[in-house]
Amino acid sequence: MPRRQVRSNEAPPLLTRNADHASTRAYDMAEFRLRARSRHMSFTYDDQIQPILSRFGLDHIARLGSMRIDWPLITALVERWRRETHTFHLPIGEMTPTLEDVCYLLGLPVDGEPITGISDDNWSGEVVEVFGEDDWDTFPPRRLPGTYHLNPEWLRRIFLPANLVGNPDVRPVLALNSPPELVTRYAQAFMLDLFGSARYFQNGLGQRPFGVKWVGEHHFGDVPRGSVAAYRRQFEKLRQGEVNWTPYEDIEDELPELCRAPNNKELFFYEGPLIWFWIVEGYTTRRVMRQFHKLQTVPPPLLTVEDHFHEIKHSGLSNDDWELVHAE
């Protein structure tokens, strides 16, 4: 979850283009920005785990490269997010990440049941059962596993020889022709590592999703490096002719088969809640029809997600069955 580092007392409100010079100057000087914890992957991709990654729909995202995040740009964009509409409010209209973006950029499946079920409070016990290790006592108290987090060093050590455990430059690898039980455990560790770190890319992994276009470091030449205020001004000046509303029209034949599945086209227009265990967010495409090469009419009424859903935290949760909680 991103953390915000505030250098002024509070974030300024969005300004109109008619704001006076003094207000604009104060707006520009408020240089706060988002930050997120990040770490590089420890585990190495191996062809032996590909069938398991494919079964969970993660084989394509594993082929993405490491992306350098422009936090000033993300900060300026997030300032324009409105929780009431679940869209970014820009001078040229509303925009939002869609299921089409998820499918094409990340290569993740968008078809299927909501990811939900029972949030088991015995997380450390579940991890021990999966990986067959129970030596938590060898770690300092503050690094013991808690609810929904795991010590990455403990995970690395399971797959490294004892004499290499303390070397951070050595990545766990899967031996050739490993037994199925070990391949499964390694794949599970790889998936945990994948979602707990910056993504990476390794040559020779076949088709990749469109997000690989942004692998590596990018910089906007006309924006001072690290300037949130400069990005704010860029958003203020944004005009229709500068926006590519439909960036995927000419690339579909180059994408993985998953992204070109016929039923995806209908799912991109889904209207309703997006659910992940206790998290519920509204998703409405009728406010951003230009992102689907269609005419934008007057936006429909808001898709209401009750405030109490946004107040649910995963800390201290018992064994709640979220499929039943969210059944309505």
Side-chain angles (χ1 to χ4, degrees):
M1 182 63 68
R3 315 183 269 163
R4 189 178 71 174
Q5 293 183 344
V6 182
R7 298 184 180 179
S8 59
N9 289 333
E10 188 49 67
L14 291 176
L15 297 182
T16 64
R17 293 187 59 80
N18 296 323
D20 59 65
H21 177 73
S23 298
T24 303
R25 183 181 179 187
Y27 181 57
D28 289 348
M29 292 176 63
E31 283 288 325
F32 67 91
R33 65 189 63 182
L34 295 170
R35 284 288 186 269
R37 299 182 182 92
S38 63
R39 51 176 293 273
H40 296 294
M41 286 197 70
S42 297
F43 286 77
T44 304
Y45 177 89
D46 190 285
D47 287 338
Q48 296 175 84
I49 68 173
Q50 192 278 332
I52 298 175
L53 295 180
S54 179
R55 189 192 318 157
F56 288 97
L58 300 178
D59 50 330
H60 294 300
I61 195 173
R63 294 168 179 152
L64 279 180
S66 178
M67 297 184 181
R68 294 286 297 272
I69 305 299
D70 189 337
W71 287 111
L73 172 59
I74 297 297
T75 302
L77 186 63
V78 168
E79 288 175 347
R80 291 181 166 274
W81 178 260
R82 290 295 175 265
R83 191 175 75 172
E84 300 84 0
T85 60
H86 293 89
T87 57
F88 297 103
H89 287 238
L90 300 164
I92 44 80
E94 297 179 52
M95 280 186 168
T96 197
T98 67
L99 294 177
E100 181 182 49
D101 297 315
V102 171
C103 186
Y104 287 0
L105 291 176
L106 302 180
L108 288 173
V110 296
D111 193 7
E113 297 297 322
I115 300 177
T116 185
I118 298 176
S119 54
D120 195 333
D121 58 2
N122 185 26
W123 166 246
S124 59
E126 292 287 330
V127 171
V128 168
E129 182 177 343
V130 168
F131 294 106
E133 300 286 337
D134 58 3
D135 55 348
W136 300 114
D137 294 338
T138 61
F139 286 94
R142 293 188 59 150
R143 303 185 69 185
L144 291 175
T147 306
Y148 301 106
H149 75 262
L150 176 66
N151 188 313
E153 290 303 312
W154 179 87
L155 197 61
R156 285 181 72 247
R157 187 174 58 181
I158 298 175
F159 299 93
L160 283 177
N163 63 321
L164 297 178
V165 167
N167 188 340
D169 297 326
V170 177
R171 288 186 173 187
V173 295
L174 190 60
L176 187 65
N177 298 322
S178 293
E181 298 80 6
L182 181 59
V183 172
T184 298
R185 292 173 66 192
Y186 189 92
Q188 291 168 320
F190 181 92
M191 289 186 282
L192 285 172
D193 197 26
L194 178 66
F195 282 105
S197 62
R199 290 186 299 272
Y200 79 109
F201 169 65
Q202 189 173 355
N203 288 327
L205 294 182
Q207 286 185 302
R208 292 169 285 160
F210 192 52
V212 76
K213 179 179 180 180
W214 284 274
V215 167
E217 185 173 1
H218 296 264
H219 178 63
F220 295 90
D222 55 346
V223 178
R225 185 178 295 273
S227 175
V228 178
Y231 281 125
R232 290 173 182 150
R233 291 192 293 270
Q234 290 286 327
F235 283 131
E236 288 288 336
K237 296 186 295 183
L238 193 62
R239 293 295 177 264
Q240 287 286 352
E242 301 174 295
V243 179
N244 182 2
W245 291 94
T246 55
Y248 311 118
E249 289 190 323
D250 299 326
I251 65 163
E252 286 195 354
D253 292 340
E254 306 171 20
L255 296 172
E257 182 65 28
L258 164 72
C259 302
R260 294 181 273 125
N263 59 330
N264 282 344
K265 295 289 186 180
E266 297 180 7
L267 289 170
F268 294 159
F269 290 95
Y270 166 73
E271 294 269 336
L274 298 177
I275 300 173
W276 185 88
F277 285 93
W278 54 87
I279 297 175
V280 181
E281 296 292 348
Y283 176 82
T284 176
T285 54
R286 289 185 293 164
R287 303 189 71 92
V288 292
M289 294 304 291
R290 283 175 290 188
Q291 291 181 232
F292 298 95
H293 212 283
K294 296 184 181 296
L295 178 67
Q296 180 62 58
T297 58
V298 176
L302 299 179
L303 180 64
T304 303
V305 175
E306 298 179 15
D307 286 341
H308 78 271
F309 284 116
H310 292 127
E311 297 170 358
I312 299 175
K313 307 296 182 183
H314 74 268
S315 57
L317 293 178
S318 59
N319 297 339
D320 293 306
D321 189 338
W322 295 101
E323 184 174 1
L324 296 178
V325 173
H326 297 322
E328 183 178 341

